[in-house]
Amino acid sequence: PPDPLEDRQMKVTRLNDELSAMRASLAQQAGGPAAAKLLRETSRRERRLATAWQGVTGEQLGLTEEEHIAVAKVFEKFAKLELARRDEVTEMRSTWIAKTLKRMAIGGYIERWRLGFELERQLGLQGALFNKLRNIPLTQEKLDKIQELMAASEDPLWLPEHEAEDNQA
């Protein structure tokens, strides 16, 4: 017999997909294709964020329930700050492009300078994430596994093992 929990999860997933599509359609009507694309990307990031560390922390690292909760809380705080930072970078980059193409030299240089400082902010957020992870009482073996996963990923919001799962789907 089919698993009722799995069936419910499938229905919720379908409803979420339909809701995202409807929101994107409304955004496109109101703000054009760029607004719809931005909304789809935001929804995709949120969906990835919800599952990015879930399987990794529980299964691959062998974390206890308490460790899993602690790591998830630290990561959730980091992810919110990182996603906000990325949204700001997107806006800054758009402004930089517009000012540069309009030959607003000083404005373009200022925006480019601001974009340069965003790399420092990005590294600061990641450094804070690592410091908080180190403060969780984890064994060195578990920290080493986290280090391997983070080093193998260009995006700390998305770990490589989950990309492989998405490509198979």
Side-chain angles (χ1 to χ4, degrees):
D3 183 12
L5 289 177
E6 194 172 304
D7 187 45
R8 183 175 179 275
Q9 179 66 29
M10 296 274 294
K11 287 179 184 176
V12 169
T13 300
R14 272 188 258 126
L15 287 173
N16 285 339
D17 290 346
E18 289 176 18
L19 179 62
S20 294
M22 190 176 357
R23 288 176 58 207
S25 177
L26 290 172
Q28 184 169 355
Q29 290 174 6
K37 182 179 178 184
L38 180 63
L39 186 62
R40 283 188 199 98
E41 288 174 2
T42 302
S43 295
R44 191 174 11 259
R45 280 191 309 208
E46 288 172 357
R47 190 169 46 244
R48 286 190 337 187
L49 175 61
T51 59
W53 279 61
Q54 191 174 28
V56 174
T57 56
E59 298 165 10
Q60 294 177 334
L61 300 178
L63 297 178
T64 66
E65 187 65 27
E66 294 81 23
E67 291 170 338
H68 182 270
I69 291 169
V71 168
K73 284 181 182 178
V74 167
F75 182 73
E76 183 179 2
K77 289 177 186 176
F78 163 75
K80 285 179 183 177
L81 293 171
E82 175 63 12
L83 288 174
R85 187 199 66 77
R86 288 180 184 189
D87 288 341
E88 290 173 19
V89 166
T90 301
E91 290 177 27
M92 279 186 223
R93 185 172 182 278
S94 295
T95 304
W96 170 67
I97 291 170
K99 287 183 177 182
T100 302
L101 290 175
K102 291 179 182 175
R103 296 186 180 170
M104 300 173 74
I106 294 174
Y109 287 126
I110 290 171
E111 292 303 318
R112 184 175 174 172
W113 179 69
R114 289 179 61 205
L115 281 168
F117 277 108
E118 282 303 308
L119 179 59
E120 179 63 32
R121 187 171 162 211
Q122 176 186 17
L123 295 175
L125 286 173
Q126 290 180 17
L129 169 68
F130 302 147
N131 287 334
K132 289 177 183 175
L133 286 173
R134 275 196 316 260
N135 291 332
I136 299 172
L138 298 173
T139 64
Q140 188 59 45
E141 180 183 342
K142 291 175 184 177
L143 285 172
D144 290 344
K145 287 182 181 179
I146 290 174
Q147 175 189 346
E148 288 174 26
L149 289 173
M150 297 294 291
S153 175
E154 292 181 22
D155 185 355
L157 294 180
W158 190 242
L159 299 178
E161 284 67 18
H162 290 283
E163 288 180 17
E165 290 174 12
D166 274 357
N167 290 336
Q168 293 171 359

